Protein backbone atom coordinates (compact mmCIF):
# COMPACT_ATOMS: atom_id res chain seq x y z
CA UNK A 1 0.00 0.00 0.00
CA UNK A 2 1.49 3.39 -0.97
CA UNK A 3 2.09 6.09 1.59
CA UNK A 4 -0.68 8.55 2.31
CA UNK A 5 -3.71 6.30 2.02
CA UNK A 6 -4.73 3.27 0.04
CA UNK A 7 -4.13 1.79 -3.38
CA UNK A 8 -4.87 3.62 -6.63
CA UNK A 9 -8.21 2.97 -8.35
CA UNK A 10 -8.04 0.91 -11.58
CA UNK A 11 -10.56 3.27 -13.23
CA UNK A 12 -9.92 6.83 -12.00
CA UNK A 13 -6.36 6.41 -10.58
CA UNK A 14 -7.29 8.23 -7.34
CA UNK A 15 -6.59 6.83 -3.88
CA UNK A 16 -8.97 4.08 -2.73
CA UNK A 17 -9.53 3.91 1.04
CA UNK A 18 -10.35 0.64 2.77
CA UNK A 19 -14.04 1.44 3.42
CA UNK A 20 -14.78 2.00 -0.28
CA UNK A 21 -12.40 -0.60 -1.79
CA UNK A 22 -13.48 -3.36 -4.20
CA UNK A 23 -10.78 -5.83 -5.33
CA UNK A 24 -10.73 -7.46 -8.75
CA UNK A 25 -7.79 -9.26 -10.42
CA UNK A 26 -5.38 -7.80 -7.88
CA UNK A 27 -6.50 -4.22 -8.58
CA UNK A 28 -8.47 -1.88 -6.34
CA UNK A 29 -11.54 0.11 -7.39
CA UNK A 30 -13.87 2.59 -5.71
CA UNK A 31 -17.34 1.09 -5.36
CA UNK A 32 -18.58 3.94 -7.55
CA UNK A 33 -15.91 3.21 -10.21
CA UNK A 34 -16.53 -0.56 -10.35
CA UNK A 35 -18.71 -0.28 -13.48
CA UNK A 36 -18.93 -2.04 -16.85
CA UNK A 37 -16.65 -0.33 -19.41
CA UNK A 38 -19.43 -0.36 -22.04
CA UNK A 39 -22.87 -0.01 -20.45
CA UNK A 40 -21.89 1.47 -17.06
CA UNK A 41 -23.81 -1.08 -14.93
CA UNK A 42 -22.64 -1.62 -11.34
CA UNK A 43 -20.64 -4.83 -11.04
CA UNK A 44 -20.20 -7.43 -8.31
CA UNK A 45 -18.49 -10.80 -7.99
CA UNK A 46 -21.29 -12.60 -9.87
CA UNK A 47 -21.61 -10.19 -12.80
CA UNK A 48 -17.98 -9.32 -13.58
CA UNK A 49 -15.94 -10.46 -16.56
CA UNK A 50 -12.39 -9.07 -16.68
CA UNK A 51 -10.34 -8.80 -19.86
CA UNK A 52 -6.78 -7.46 -19.64
CA UNK A 53 -7.15 -4.17 -17.67
CA UNK A 54 -10.84 -3.75 -18.48
CA UNK A 55 -13.92 -4.87 -16.55
CA UNK A 56 -17.27 -5.69 -18.16
CA UNK A 57 -20.63 -7.09 -17.20
CA UNK A 58 -21.06 -10.61 -18.57
CA UNK A 59 -23.48 -9.49 -21.30
CA UNK A 60 -21.14 -6.83 -22.74
CA UNK A 61 -18.13 -9.14 -22.42
CA UNK A 62 -20.00 -11.83 -24.36
CA UNK A 63 -20.96 -9.38 -27.11
CA UNK A 64 -17.43 -8.07 -27.48
CA UNK A 65 -15.27 -11.18 -26.96
CA UNK A 66 -17.66 -14.16 -27.09
CA UNK A 67 -18.47 -16.44 -30.01
CA UNK A 68 -20.37 -14.93 -32.92
CA UNK A 69 -22.98 -16.37 -35.25
CA UNK A 70 -26.26 -18.23 -35.29
CA UNK A 71 -27.07 -20.05 -32.07
CA UNK A 72 -25.04 -17.84 -29.72
CA UNK A 73 -27.85 -15.43 -28.83
CA UNK A 74 -28.93 -14.86 -25.25
CA UNK A 75 -32.59 -14.48 -24.33
CA UNK A 76 -34.92 -11.92 -25.85
CA UNK A 77 -31.96 -9.73 -26.86
CA UNK A 78 -31.15 -12.08 -29.72
CA UNK A 79 -33.61 -10.29 -31.99
CA UNK A 80 -31.87 -6.96 -31.46
CA UNK A 81 -30.45 -5.13 -34.46
CA UNK A 82 -27.39 -4.06 -32.42
CA UNK A 83 -24.31 -4.91 -34.48
CA UNK A 84 -21.79 -3.99 -31.79
CA UNK A 85 -20.44 -0.73 -33.20
CA UNK A 86 -20.41 0.73 -29.66
CA UNK A 87 -18.07 -2.11 -28.66
CA UNK A 88 -15.64 -1.46 -31.50
CA UNK A 89 -16.78 -4.46 -33.56
CA UNK A 90 -16.61 -3.96 -37.32
CA UNK A 91 -18.93 -5.92 -39.56
CA UNK A 92 -17.59 -7.98 -42.44
CA UNK A 93 -19.28 -7.34 -45.76
CA UNK A 94 -20.56 -10.58 -47.26
CA UNK A 95 -19.33 -11.69 -50.67
CA UNK A 96 -21.72 -10.92 -53.53
CA UNK A 97 -24.19 -13.70 -54.32
CA UNK A 98 -23.21 -15.86 -57.28
CA UNK A 99 -25.81 -18.33 -58.54
CA UNK A 100 -24.65 -21.91 -58.88
CA UNK A 101 -24.56 -23.61 -62.24
CA UNK A 102 -26.66 -26.75 -62.34
CA UNK A 103 -25.19 -29.45 -64.56
CA UNK A 104 -28.38 -31.56 -64.42
CA UNK A 105 -30.59 -30.52 -67.36
CA UNK A 106 -33.70 -32.58 -66.43
CA UNK A 107 -37.08 -30.80 -66.64
CA UNK A 108 -37.99 -31.61 -63.00
CA UNK A 109 -34.70 -30.22 -61.72
CA UNK A 110 -35.04 -27.05 -63.78
CA UNK A 111 -38.63 -26.53 -62.60
CA UNK A 112 -38.25 -27.34 -58.88
CA UNK A 113 -34.54 -26.78 -58.23
CA UNK A 114 -31.75 -29.31 -57.88
CA UNK A 115 -31.22 -31.56 -54.90
CA UNK A 116 -28.30 -33.42 -53.42
CA UNK A 117 -27.79 -37.16 -53.93
CA UNK A 118 -27.40 -39.53 -50.99
CA UNK A 119 -24.04 -41.35 -51.17
CA UNK A 120 -25.56 -44.54 -49.71
CA UNK A 121 -28.64 -45.06 -51.93
CA UNK A 122 -27.98 -42.57 -54.75
CA UNK A 123 -31.48 -41.06 -54.55
CA UNK A 124 -32.31 -37.34 -54.24
CA UNK A 125 -32.19 -35.91 -50.70
CA UNK A 126 -34.79 -33.23 -49.99
CA UNK A 127 -34.59 -30.62 -47.21
CA UNK A 128 -37.10 -32.33 -44.89
CA UNK A 129 -35.08 -35.56 -44.77
CA UNK A 130 -31.58 -34.13 -45.14
CA UNK A 131 -28.69 -34.65 -42.69
CA UNK A 132 -25.16 -33.46 -43.39
CA UNK A 133 -22.30 -35.78 -42.50
CA UNK A 134 -18.80 -36.35 -43.91
CA UNK A 135 -19.34 -33.45 -46.32
CA UNK A 136 -22.39 -35.02 -48.00
CA UNK A 137 -26.17 -34.93 -47.69
CA UNK A 138 -27.73 -38.19 -46.40
CA UNK A 139 -31.28 -39.43 -45.80
CA UNK A 140 -31.89 -39.19 -42.04
CA UNK A 141 -33.79 -42.47 -41.92
CA UNK A 142 -32.28 -45.58 -43.47
CA UNK A 143 -29.06 -44.14 -44.89
CA UNK A 144 -27.46 -42.10 -42.08
CA UNK A 145 -26.29 -45.27 -40.33
CA UNK A 146 -22.97 -46.93 -39.54
CA UNK A 147 -21.58 -48.79 -42.57
CA UNK A 148 -20.49 -51.69 -40.35
CA UNK A 149 -23.16 -52.25 -37.67
CA UNK A 150 -26.10 -50.26 -39.11
CA UNK A 151 -26.56 -48.16 -35.95
CA UNK A 152 -28.37 -44.85 -36.51
CA UNK A 153 -25.95 -41.91 -36.24
CA UNK A 154 -25.96 -38.34 -34.97
CA UNK A 155 -23.52 -35.57 -35.86
CA UNK A 156 -21.75 -36.14 -32.52
CA UNK A 157 -21.44 -39.94 -32.92
CA UNK A 158 -20.14 -39.84 -36.46
CA UNK A 159 -16.70 -40.74 -37.81
CA UNK A 160 -15.91 -40.86 -41.52
CA UNK A 161 -13.27 -42.46 -43.71
CA UNK A 162 -13.08 -42.20 -47.50
CA UNK A 163 -16.66 -40.92 -47.85
CA UNK A 164 -18.23 -43.68 -45.72
CA UNK A 165 -19.67 -43.04 -42.25
CA UNK A 166 -19.24 -45.16 -39.11
CA UNK A 167 -20.20 -45.02 -35.44
CA UNK A 168 -17.22 -44.19 -33.23
CA UNK A 169 -17.02 -47.74 -31.86
CA UNK A 170 -16.81 -49.41 -35.29
CA UNK A 171 -14.43 -46.74 -36.57
CA UNK A 172 -12.10 -47.39 -33.64
CA UNK A 173 -12.22 -51.17 -34.16
CA UNK A 174 -11.65 -50.96 -37.91
CA UNK A 175 -9.28 -48.02 -38.30
CA UNK A 176 -7.98 -47.16 -34.80
CA UNK A 177 -4.66 -48.18 -33.26
CA UNK A 178 -4.14 -51.90 -32.65
CA UNK A 179 -2.24 -53.78 -29.96
CA UNK A 180 -1.95 -54.05 -26.21
CA UNK A 181 -3.58 -51.17 -24.32
CA UNK A 182 -6.01 -50.14 -27.08
CA UNK A 183 -8.92 -52.36 -26.06
CA UNK A 184 -12.49 -51.13 -25.80
CA UNK A 185 -13.65 -51.74 -22.21
CA UNK A 186 -14.32 -55.23 -20.85
CA UNK A 187 -14.47 -56.70 -24.36
CA UNK A 188 -10.81 -55.89 -24.98
CA UNK A 189 -9.77 -59.54 -24.59
CA UNK A 190 -12.29 -60.82 -27.11
CA UNK A 191 -11.09 -63.54 -29.48
CA UNK A 192 -10.76 -62.70 -33.15
CA UNK A 193 -10.98 -65.21 -35.94
Amino acid sequence: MPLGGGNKCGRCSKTVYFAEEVLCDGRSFHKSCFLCMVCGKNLDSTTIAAHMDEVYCKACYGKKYGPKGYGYGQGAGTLSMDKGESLGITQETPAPHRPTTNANPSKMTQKFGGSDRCPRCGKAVYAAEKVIGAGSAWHKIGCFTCATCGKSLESTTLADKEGEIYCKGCYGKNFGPKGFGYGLGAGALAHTQ
Side-chain angles (χ1 to χ4, degrees):
M1 189 179 317
L3 254 90
N7 297 320
K8 298 293 179 188
C9 177
R11 169 74 54 101
C12 70
S13 300
K14 294 181 182 173
T15 302
V16 180
Y17 297 99
F18 182 75
E20 60 184 358
E21 184 177 37
V22 177
L23 291 171
C24 175
D25 279 352
R27 296 184 306 149
S28 297
F29 292 88
H30 294 106
K31 286 181 184 174
S32 60
C33 291
F34 197 53
L35 306 170
C36 174
M37 301 285 287
V38 176
C39 67
K41 288 182 185 173
N42 287 322
L43 300 172
D44 62 31
S45 62
T46 61
T47 59
I48 179 129
H51 184 82
M52 307 270 200
D53 291 339
E54 301 169 334
V55 290
Y56 300 95
C57 66
K58 288 186 177 181
C60 290
Y61 179 85
K63 287 178 188 173
K64 188 165 185 174
Y65 298 108
K68 309 287 187 281
Y70 180 76
Y72 288 105
Q74 298 168 351
T78 59
L79 298 177
S80 147
M81 296 305 289
D82 178 19
K83 294 185 177 155
E85 285 87 7
S86 64
L87 303 173
I89 298 171
T90 56
Q91 298 294 318
E92 297 177 12
T93 54
H97 175 70
R98 292 186 313 227
T100 58
T101 56
N102 188 358
N104 188 347
S106 75
K107 295 272 184 208
M108 287 295 265
T109 304
Q110 289 174 359
K111 187 172 182 181
F112 297 109
S115 61
D116 298 318
R117 296 260 173 218
C118 176
R120 179 86 27 100
C121 67
K123 294 180 183 173
V125 182
Y126 299 102
E129 58 189 357
K130 183 180 198 174
V131 178
I132 303 292
S136 300
W138 302 75
H139 290 107
K140 171 97 173 132
I141 299 173
C143 295
F144 199 60
T145 57
C146 176
T148 305
C149 69
K151 184 166 101 176
S152 185
L153 299 173
E154 298 284 328
S155 61
T156 57
T157 60
L158 169 74
D160 70 303
K161 182 157 179 103
E162 298 171 359
E164 195 55 79
I165 55 176
Y166 302 91
C167 67
K168 292 197 176 182
C170 290
Y171 183 86
K173 286 178 193 171
N174 295 330
F175 308 109
K178 307 280 190 279
F180 182 77
Y182 290 106
L184 298 170
L189 299 176
H191 296 286
T192 59
Q193 295 182 16

